[in-house]
Amino acid sequence: MTERHFSVVICAYTEDRWTDILAAVSSVRAQSLPPLETLIVVDHNERLLARLGAEYADHAASGEVRVLANAGPRGLSAGRNTAIAEARGQFVAFLDDDAVAERDWLRHFAEGYADPRVMAVGGRTLPSWASGRRPAWFPEEFDWIVGCTYRGLPRGRVAVRNVLGGNASFRACAFDATGGFATGIGRDGDRRPLGCEETELCIRLSGALPGAVLLIDDRAVIHHRVPAVRERFGYFRARAYAEGLSKALVARSVGRAKGLEAELRYTSRVLPAAVARGARDAVLGRAGGAGRAGAIVTGVAAAACGYLVGTLRARRGTMVFTVAPVVRAGRAEEPEEPEEGEAA
């Protein structure tokens, strides 16, 4: 696949990340497989919208880089849905506004879509710590706290339940079957460190399209900046609690078995082994061992607490989310999907 079939989406909300946003866009424009277009969606920030519009005015006429205002409620999910509705590509890829993609990022995504059953391909996200290195107490098994690939995920190109939203792509036609990302769940700038919107979408996608395959290809690498505030234990604990709240909404929507299938394996197999390694390192006098073991226990407890609170709130109707259909402008321009067994 050498044609420009990818629309790349970068959602932004604050001028504090100006340099990061420009770096993200530059990494997309430098891809070995150039995208059809890059869509920058600004989340209810008129000043940032005008500034980005001026920055990329020379690229607007060709459509190479388009700057859009979030047409829905505040938050990441609605921003992504705005881009999906406007995207002209056969595939829609998502990149965080504080991340940069390696040169072959889109090329590796494209290879996964040679199989017509594949509806989504995600990649590997590596942390770029503000301090220059991982805090000694921060366990790799909890890198999802900072939006990165965590220890315990399978390596290589493998089928998964869900991709991770900051480094992911979907066939555009998948949104015709499922609708867009759910609003009322996921991030709202820095206001609440929730997540799981991509998990809910992927489970819904697999239900709507039986036989659909979702992949992670760890060759599709991006580097995600981790600011100093997210290297602190207070953020770690708050984000783990917020993840529990989000998981409660997902489980209520798609059922506990599907919503927590991967998480139960993770907590029963990956984390006990990680605690044991931390305790062993502590006994051997290695730096950070006791801290990592303690962080894992604290993270699990915080997530469990969030899950219980989220379950109660969902039952009372004080935590809800909605899924709306996305009417895509580029739908009529798409090529027909290949028959099974043919190359995409």
Side-chain angles (χ1 to χ4, degrees):
M1 180 183 296
T2 58
E3 298 181 24
R4 296 184 171 196
H5 283 319
F6 279 88
S7 295
V8 177
V9 177
I10 299 172
C11 294
Y13 68 96
T14 175
E15 287 186 273
D16 293 342
R17 292 185 177 180
W18 178 257
T19 302
D20 294 329
I21 296 167
L22 299 187
V25 175
S26 293
S27 74
V28 173
R29 297 184 65 202
Q31 288 294 298
S32 62
L33 178 64
L36 173 67
E37 60 186 352
T38 301
L39 306 178
I40 308 172
V41 184
V42 180
D43 191 16
H44 297 274
N45 184 328
E46 292 299 326
R47 180 182 170 89
L48 178 60
L49 180 67
R51 191 177 178 188
L52 283 168
E55 178 72 23
Y56 295 105
D58 292 344
H59 305 285
S62 67
E64 180 185 355
V65 180
R66 289 194 283 157
V67 179
L68 310 171
N70 180 359
R74 186 182 299 274
L76 179 59
S77 291
R80 287 173 171 168
N81 291 343
T82 296
I84 293 165
E86 292 289 332
R88 294 179 290 122
Q90 187 181 359
F91 309 100
V92 183
F94 297 93
L95 178 67
D96 279 345
D97 65 340
D98 53 355
V100 292
E102 292 191 357
R103 180 170 170 77
D104 291 329
W105 178 61
L106 288 180
R107 188 172 297 280
H108 291 308
F109 278 171
E111 290 174 4
Y113 291 112
D115 183 342
R117 299 172 301 168
V118 173
M119 289 291 122
V121 183
R124 183 171 180 80
T125 303
L126 302 178
S128 296
W129 303 96
S131 62
R133 62 179 181 178
R134 174 186 300 275
W137 60 268
F138 202 116
E140 292 181 38
E141 291 79 7
F142 272 74
D143 276 5
W144 54 264
I145 290 281
V146 291
C148 295
T149 302
Y150 55 90
R151 186 172 185 172
L153 284 178
R155 299 298 301 270
R157 185 196 287 178
V158 293
V160 293
R161 180 194 66 179
N162 65 274
V163 295
L164 304 181
N167 180 10
S169 65
F170 295 83
R171 286 191 191 271
C173 62
F175 300 108
D176 300 331
T178 63
F181 288 88
T183 56
I185 188 173
R187 282 189 172 273
D188 178 1
D190 289 324
R191 295 168 187 248
R192 53 179 182 172
L194 298 178
C196 294
E197 66 276 8
E198 69 276 358
T199 302
E200 191 277 336
L201 172 66
C202 288
I203 294 174
R204 187 160 25 99
L205 173 59
S206 295
L209 298 174
V213 176
L214 287 68
L215 298 176
I216 284 183
D217 187 336
D218 63 10
R219 300 173 302 164
V221 176
I222 70 169
H223 299 266
H224 187 270
R225 189 174 68 84
V226 182
V229 67
R230 297 187 182 183
E231 295 185 13
R232 299 171 186 168
F233 189 72
Y235 179 83
F236 179 95
R237 186 176 58 242
R239 179 67 182 85
Y241 175 80
E243 184 75 2
L245 290 175
S246 302
K247 283 292 190 294
L249 277 175
V250 172
R252 185 167 179 81
S253 171
V254 303
R256 187 173 180 273
K258 291 182 179 179
L260 298 179
E261 179 184 12
E263 288 73 14
L264 291 174
R265 289 197 303 268
Y266 168 75
T267 55
S268 63
R269 300 178 187 179
V270 175
L271 295 186
V275 171
R277 282 194 300 273
R280 180 197 62 200
D281 288 348
V283 169
L284 295 175
R286 296 171 181 167
R292 289 194 301 275
I296 292 170
V297 173
T298 301
V300 171
C305 183
Y307 182 82
L308 291 174
V309 171
T311 299
L312 290 174
R313 290 179 181 177
R315 288 175 180 172
R316 294 171 182 169
T318 58
M319 280 184 69
V320 295
F321 65 91
T322 58
V323 178
V326 176
V327 180
R328 297 188 297 109
R331 183 174 182 176
E333 303 173 13
E334 287 183 358
E336 294 184 3
E337 290 298 320
E339 298 294 332
E340 186 168 354
E342 293 181 358

